[in-house]
């Protein structure tokens, strides 16, 4: 992980730098929380990531969804630290197509981090970009495809793309 693509076998990208953290933490969960994103090229999602705030506990599941709400992959996080960026590797790479919207989600049980008004314009770290459709930063009931949005909030969900 880091700010630049790594030199491992293939380059790897992620949307958020390890130095990026939520502006606040909240305790009104539980939720399924995510971000809509696209890649400018075909690729394989290797991992799901999320920022864990202090006080969040329980089991966390990362999911990849199509824009229409079909779940195409899931992974359970393990060996989590008390807070900070967490990463879980999918058993098999998840292929995605260029210029197609997907959603990555990770559930929150009690606490989550957010920065309001952070996804109103695209956040780009090529080849990845968030989708600025006025309804990004999505949430809903745990384990379900999230369709609600509040002020284009960034809930710090991410992928590692190869």
């Amino acid at each position: 992980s880091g700010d630049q693509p790594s030199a491992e076998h293939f380059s790897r990208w992620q949307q958020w730098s390890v130095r990026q953290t939520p502006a606040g933490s909240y305790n009104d969960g539980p939720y399924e929380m995510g971000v809509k994103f696209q890649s400018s090229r075909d690729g394989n999602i290797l991992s799901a990531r999320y920022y864990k705030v202090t006080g969040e506990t329980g089991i966390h599941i990362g999911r990849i969804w199509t824009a229409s709400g079909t779940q195409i992959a899931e992974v359970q996080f393990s060996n989590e630290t008390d807070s900070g960026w967490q990463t879980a590797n999918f058993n098999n790479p998840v292929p995605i197509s260029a210029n197609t919207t997907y959603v990555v989600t990770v559930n929150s049980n009690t606490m989550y981090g957010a920065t309001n008004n952070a996804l109103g314009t695209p956040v780009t770290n090529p080849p990845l970009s968030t989708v600025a459709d006025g309804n990004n930063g999505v949430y809903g009931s745990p384990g379900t495809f999230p369709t609600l949005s509040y002020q284009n909030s960034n809930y710090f969900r991410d992928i590692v793309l190869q």
Side-chain angles (χ1 to χ4, degrees):
S1 65
D3 296 328
Q4 300 297 318
S6 70
E8 298 176 39
H9 192 261
F10 293 98
S11 295
R12 297 177 184 197
W13 293 269
Q14 54 201 30
Q15 188 67 46
W16 314 114
S17 139
V18 293
R19 290 191 299 272
Q20 289 177 291
T21 60
S25 62
Y26 306 89
N27 64 354
D28 61 336
Y31 295 111
E32 191 77 18
M33 311 185 97
V35 63
K36 299 174 195 174
F37 69 93
Q38 293 187 349
S39 174
S40 61
R41 64 169 186 78
D42 293 349
N44 290 298
I45 299 173
L46 302 179
S47 312
R49 301 174 65 229
Y50 84 103
Y51 189 88
K52 182 179 182 180
V53 297
T54 301
E56 170 64 348
T57 59
I59 294 172
H60 297 99
I61 306 293
R63 295 177 172 89
I64 305 296
W65 311 80
T66 64
S68 61
T70 300
Q71 183 180 311
I72 56 176
E74 80 173 38
V75 62
Q76 183 172 325
F77 286 77
S78 61
N79 301 314
E80 293 187 37
T81 58
D82 289 340
S83 63
W85 282 102
Q86 314 294 317
T87 302
N89 298 323
F90 291 101
N91 287 335
N92 296 300
V94 182
I96 62 169
S97 299
N99 306 310
T100 302
T101 299
Y102 296 91
V103 181
V104 57
T105 65
V106 179
N107 65 295
S108 68
N109 297 302
T110 56
M111 303 281 297
Y112 62 92
T115 301
N116 294 343
N117 302 305
L119 299 175
T121 57
V123 177
T124 302
N125 184 17
L128 297 174
S129 182
T130 63
V131 176
D133 62 359
N135 190 43
N136 204 347
V138 290
Y139 69 94
S141 298
T144 66
F145 181 66
T147 58
L148 303 172
S149 183
Y150 178 75
Q151 296 182 353
N152 292 302
S153 296
N154 182 357
Y155 299 116
F156 292 83
R157 272 51 179 166
D158 198 2
I159 61 163
V160 175
L161 181 73
Q162 181 178 68

